[in-house]
Amino acid sequence: MTREALRSAAGPAAGVPARRYVLAAAVVMALGTVWCVGFLVGGVGSEAFAYTFVPVGGAISTASVAHMVRRCDLNPVARSFWRALMVAMGLITVGYGWLAVDMLTHAAQAHTRTMPMPAAACVGAGFALALFAVARVPVVTTGGVDWWRMLLDRTIAFLGCAAVLWYAGLAPMLSAREPWSRQAMVLVGLAFIAAVGAATKVSYIAGGPVDRTAIRLIAASGGVTAGIVAVIAVRFGLIAAVPAQAVVMPLTPVLATLGVAAQWRACLGLRRDTARSGKLLPYLAVVAVDVPLVAMAFGAPLEWPGRVVVVAAVLVTALVTARQYIAYEENARLLGDMRVQEERLQYEVSHDGLTGLANRALFRERLTAALGTGHASVLLVDLDDFKTVNDLLGHGVGDRLLVSVADVLRAETGGDGLAVRVGGDEFAVLLTAAGADPEDLAGRLLAALDQPISEHRLLVQASIGIADAVPGATVDSVLRDADVAMYTAKQRGKAGSVRYVDGMGEPVLAHMQLGGELRRALDNDELRVVYQPILRLDDQRLIGVEALVRWHHPTRGVITPAEFIPAAERTGLIVPLGRYVLRETCRQAAAWLAEFGPDALEKAAANVSARQLHDPDFVADVTAALTDSGLPCEHLVLEVTESAVLRGQQVSRTLYELDSMGIRLALDDFGTGESSLSLLRAFPASIVKLDKSFVDGVEIDDGQPAAANARQAVARAVSQLALALGLDTVAEGVESAEQAAVLRDLGYTHGQGYHLARPMPASAVSALLHRQQSMAAADL
């Protein structure tokens, strides 16, 4: 039966059986007390009757243990302890019952008769079994030094308590004018040992499995009564046997049944046993062993019991010395561990966990100190296109590449400064050495990074911004200048270094502010979608549109995409911006199809950035735009660049998922990226858009056929490959009739550009569709 079941079954009456046993034992003790007073005062009854109260109380305490073992849901260790204790109580009860019968049958000699040896043997066996049961109770689990420390503490406590009980209890009994029998003194000694052992043991029991209060009461049941018996035996001689047997020794069953009740309540969860360590017990034992020494110092005779105490005191002192030495060694070890841990924590707080370089906090601390000397330079190093490494090769390869870059920085910086990982793929170097040239270091770093590094032999480039600490500079101003210089290096083509000069921050700051204003523009509906028609080159018929976005700034007027798209990419606003353009394109295309018929417009194209393709919600955004607008999937074209297609497995999965939905994909600005023509076979494209750079000059006829063929070679190759793969072609940037004619001869079917039609609002496209529809009706 579980504890909860017992508790619910027992209810408020759970402790009634235990209380009944306690009450019965107390009644026996009270009756013994009343009889003893009557005997001593009025001579009531025979002295032999005094020996009957102990076995009656013992039977009650034994029955209480048996009842508790049967009814309580004890764990195996506690059950074994209480069963052994029940047998021990039974043996002690049998021994004192034997003594009672012997005294009653020899009542005339009760005053001088000693305890029969079989009875003493039973009681002695009971005490020994009780000691064994206590010894088997597990203590706090320890090992190594802690085990030796606990052993010393328990030994000190045992010797200190035993010395006091010897000096004040057992030794006076041995030297009393009317000494008791050997059996009685042996049993008193065993009771003392059991009490001291239990008291010492209970201080190191970790809150179970045997209730600590229960063990204390069991220890007191033997120790308290034995101590009182020893005192009255020395003080009153043999006559003390009557109060000892009738009043003092019946106290043992009372305390024992109280211990059983404590275990019963703990078993039912009615009382929580709070685990407390025995840290004070050895010190109390040291004080206890000094008590007899103080007594002898003030005149007590130094006889052989006192000499035993002196020996015990010497042993305790030696053990305390050993204990303190162990504590000293342990404290020294703990202090050493704390120093090591503190150094490790300080290192972790001030260094990057991946690369081992100094982190931003230490960087700012050292830069602050360097500004006080007036000489410091900062190099801010940002890896170019590091995200591509993570996307294509995984973050594990990216982390190892960062470690290799850190090794390069550490080696090139040497003792001239502090190499730092600021965060992500951004590093820094603080130069403080006199004569150190930051531009020379930047050159060495770029040269080192121009070679393959890391175990994967990867090439990585970096943009480096350099800033010098000027008089009055602060940490933030130096870092801001270095950041501006680094950003300028990226704008100039990456893989280079730029040193900050006054005024450099203004255009960079304006560009950064543009990103903040773009967020406001999205919220305030300042963006407009315009559409550039895509025409058939043979008859100039409108077959589709490409959606483009314009920003109508409240103070700066119309801002072109070339200005704000880089800011959108950098800030991540390209995702909500692209979502807005996509939804508006789908809505407007669906409106045109509803107005002019399903054949009026073959395709409506929207540009998609690599950042959008990495967005896990992008496919859901496309699905929502089509569903909300009602535009059929086959009328939507998504244009992606070659570089975006090569951004890893996530992008590839997204593109194939879109293709499976029936959405057509166009490879935009073809020929300008880092791909090869084989990309057309690996990428699920249905349209190839030739970049304007290959359209420019195709129409030039300078009378040199070889030069003309060279100018048209890429355009011709792309057209032939697309034709072989069954792909549509669109030529971008057509700016003259001659270009259109040449492209048509090269095999291009569709084109777009200022010669064919400029980007225009939706209303202008509607007008074109209306005119085209009217012309078709007139031809009929």
Side-chain angles (χ1 to χ4, degrees):
M1 185 178 292
T2 64
R3 178 179 297 179
E4 289 74 12
L6 272 173
R7 189 186 306 161
S8 93
V16 169
R19 289 198 296 268
R20 287 175 178 172
Y21 286 114
V22 174
L23 180 61
V27 167
V28 171
M29 179 180 174
L31 291 175
T33 303
V34 171
W35 178 87
C36 181
V37 172
F39 175 79
L40 294 176
V41 174
V44 177
S46 170
E47 180 178 343
F49 192 71
Y51 294 88
T52 61
F53 296 101
V54 174
V56 174
I60 293 172
S61 62
T62 304
S64 70
V65 176
H67 193 177
M68 188 264 294
V69 170
R70 288 197 310 270
R71 293 287 301 276
C72 277
D73 183 25
L74 299 169
N75 63 56
V77 174
R79 185 175 298 277
S80 175
F81 168 78
W82 285 106
R83 281 179 174 172
L85 201 63
M86 177 181 66
V87 174
M89 289 181 178
L91 288 172
I92 294 172
T93 301
V94 169
Y96 279 105
W98 192 317
L99 175 62
V101 171
D102 183 78
M103 289 298 179
L104 290 173
T105 54
H106 302 86
Q109 296 88 28
H111 185 68
T112 58
R113 191 170 178 80
T114 61
M115 189 176 194
M117 289 302 297
C122 287
V123 177
F127 279 127
L129 184 57
L131 276 171
F132 175 74
V134 171
R136 289 187 61 194
V137 177
V139 296
V140 181
T141 303
T142 57
V145 175
D146 288 338
W147 186 88
W148 285 103
R149 183 172 59 242
M150 188 182 71
L151 178 63
L152 286 173
D153 287 346
R154 293 172 64 184
T155 305
I156 292 168
F158 184 86
L159 286 177
C161 296
V164 173
L165 292 177
W166 161 262
Y167 185 79
L170 193 59
M173 289 183 67
L174 296 174
S175 57
R177 292 188 308 273
E178 297 180 352
W180 284 32
S181 66
R182 293 179 180 177
Q183 299 94 307
M185 286 188 287
V186 168
L187 294 180
V188 170
L190 286 175
F192 281 155
I193 294 174
V196 173
T200 305
K201 184 68 174 283
V202 75
S203 298
Y204 298 92
I205 296 177
V210 182
D211 185 73
R212 292 158 60 91
T213 301
I215 293 187
R216 288 191 178 99
L217 289 169
I218 294 298
S221 67
V224 171
T225 54
I228 298 175
V229 167
V231 170
I232 63 175
V234 173
R235 179 70 177 81
F236 300 106
L238 295 178
I239 193 60
V242 172
Q245 292 287 338
V247 180
V248 178
M249 294 177 66
L251 178 61
T252 296
V254 175
L255 294 174
T257 53
L258 285 172
V260 173
Q263 181 65 64
W264 202 321
R265 290 178 62 82
C267 176
L268 296 176
L270 302 178
R271 186 183 61 79
R272 185 176 298 275
D273 184 24
T274 56
R276 290 173 293 178
S277 64
K279 294 180 179 179
L280 292 179
L281 187 59
Y283 300 99
L284 294 176
V286 172
V287 174
V289 80
D290 288 338
V291 171
L293 297 179
V294 172
M296 287 183 284
F298 281 91
L302 182 59
E303 298 178 351
W304 69 271
R307 293 188 177 91
V308 172
V309 172
V310 171
V311 172
V314 171
L315 288 176
V316 168
T317 302
L319 292 174
V320 169
T321 302
R323 173 67 175 83
Q324 290 303 109
Y325 176 76
I326 291 177
Y328 171 78
E329 290 292 325
E330 182 68 9
N331 291 338
R333 185 186 64 82
L334 291 175
L335 288 174
D337 291 344
M338 289 178 61
R339 282 194 294 268
V340 172
Q341 185 176 12
E342 183 179 357
E343 292 173 358
R344 180 175 60 82
L345 289 175
Q346 288 178 346
Y347 180 86
E348 291 178 353
V349 168
S350 60
H351 287 76
D352 176 59
L354 176 65
T355 63
L357 296 180
N359 61 13
R360 182 190 295 268
L362 182 58
F363 178 40
R364 293 181 66 90
E365 178 184 333
R366 294 287 180 86
L367 180 55
T368 302
L371 291 177
T373 65
H375 177 78
S377 297
V378 170
L379 288 80
L380 203 58
V381 183
D382 188 82
L383 303 184
D384 297 330
D385 303 317
F386 178 76
K387 188 175 185 299
T388 305
V389 177
N390 281 335
D391 292 340
L392 294 178
L393 303 178
H395 289 276
V397 175
D399 287 346
R400 287 190 284 276
L401 180 59
L402 291 175
V403 172
S404 297
V405 172
D407 292 339
V408 170
L409 261 70
R410 191 182 289 110
E412 295 298 334
T413 303
D416 293 337
L418 178 70
V420 181
R421 185 188 180 198
V422 180
D425 59 350
E426 191 173 26
F427 296 83
V429 176
L430 173 61
L431 280 182
T432 55
D437 184 0
E439 292 190 15
D440 178 65
L441 175 58
R444 297 201 310 270
L445 289 174
L446 292 174
L449 294 177
D450 198 38
Q451 303 298 321
I453 60 173
S454 87
E455 60 191 81
H456 297 89
R457 310 307 296 163
L458 298 176
L459 282 174
V460 61
Q461 296 177 325
S463 298
I464 303 177
I466 304 172
D468 300 311
V470 298
T474 64
V475 171
D476 291 332
S477 67
V478 174
L479 294 180
R480 183 182 63 247
D481 292 347
D483 195 48
V484 167
M486 183 269 293
Y487 193 84
T488 304
K490 285 188 175 294
Q491 287 185 320
R492 293 180 182 178
K494 304 180 180 180
S497 64
V498 172
R499 194 165 193 163
Y500 179 82
V501 295
D502 290 340
M504 183 180 288
E506 295 177 4
V508 174
L509 181 60
H511 189 77
M512 297 176 68
Q513 289 175 340
L514 192 65
E517 293 181 353
L518 184 57
R519 174 74 269 178
R520 187 209 65 222
L522 285 168
D523 297 334
N524 295 344
D525 197 24
E526 296 176 7
L527 298 169
R528 299 287 185 272
V529 178
V530 297
Y531 304 89
Q532 184 170 28
I534 301 173
L535 306 182
R536 278 207 301 249
L537 293 178
D538 55 356
D539 60 3
Q540 308 294 298
R541 178 179 174 81
L542 174 64
I543 57 96
V545 294
E546 178 183 355
L548 305 170
V549 65
R550 299 291 184 266
W551 182 1
H552 291 260
H553 195 279
T555 59
R556 298 172 58 182
V558 178
I559 302 178
T560 64
E563 293 183 70
F564 68 83
I565 290 299
E569 290 277 6
R570 179 176 55 81
T571 59
L573 291 175
I574 193 67
V575 174
L577 174 60
R579 187 184 302 120
Y580 163 74
V581 173
L582 175 65
R583 295 186 66 86
E584 184 63 20
T585 302
C586 292
R587 184 198 64 78
Q588 185 60 63
W592 284 326
L593 294 179
E595 182 178 357
F596 300 104
D599 298 328
L601 195 70
E602 293 182 13
K603 56 190 175 184
N607 289 282
V608 177
S609 71
R611 190 78 171 264
Q612 288 177 271
L613 293 173
H614 277 287
D615 183 8
D617 297 327
F618 178 67
V619 175
D621 289 341
V622 175
T623 303
L626 292 170
T627 302
D628 294 345
S629 64
L631 180 69
C633 294
E634 61 271 14
H635 285 279
L636 178 63
V637 175
L638 297 179
E639 298 187 4
V640 295
T641 62
E642 298 175 27
S643 58
V645 173
L646 298 174
R647 287 300 182 92
Q649 296 182 353
Q650 171 65 31
V651 171
S652 180
R653 285 194 296 268
T654 299
L655 293 173
Y656 275 97
E657 188 173 354
L658 293 169
D659 179 65
S660 67
M661 294 168 57
I663 298 169
R664 290 189 289 173
L665 302 175
L667 200 56
D668 197 15
D669 300 333
F670 187 79
T672 61
E674 58 264 32
S675 68
S676 65
L677 295 179
S678 63
L679 179 65
L680 293 175
R681 299 189 61 186
F683 169 60
S686 59
I687 302 169
V688 174
K689 300 188 73 173
L690 182 68
D691 186 69
K692 181 181 183 300
S693 61
F694 301 112
V695 174
D696 294 339
V698 296
E699 81 285 3
I700 297 175
D701 185 5
D702 53 6
Q704 298 180 8
N709 288 336
R711 284 190 292 270
Q712 298 172 6
V714 174
R716 180 182 294 108
V718 172
S719 173
Q720 292 174 351
L721 184 60
L723 179 63
L725 296 175
L727 306 178
D728 291 337
T729 54
V730 177
E732 297 182 293
V734 181
E735 297 182 351
S736 67
E738 292 77 13
Q739 287 180 345
V742 173
L743 290 168
R744 186 173 59 249
D745 293 340
L746 291 175
Y748 286 87
T749 55
H750 304 138
Q752 69 181 99
Y754 278 18
H755 167 67
L756 301 174
R758 289 175 175 269
M760 58 186 68
S763 59
V765 176
S766 298
L768 284 177
L769 290 172
H770 184 269
R771 183 165 60 252
Q772 186 170 281
Q773 192 177 58
S774 299
M775 292 173 62
D779 292 340
L780 294 176

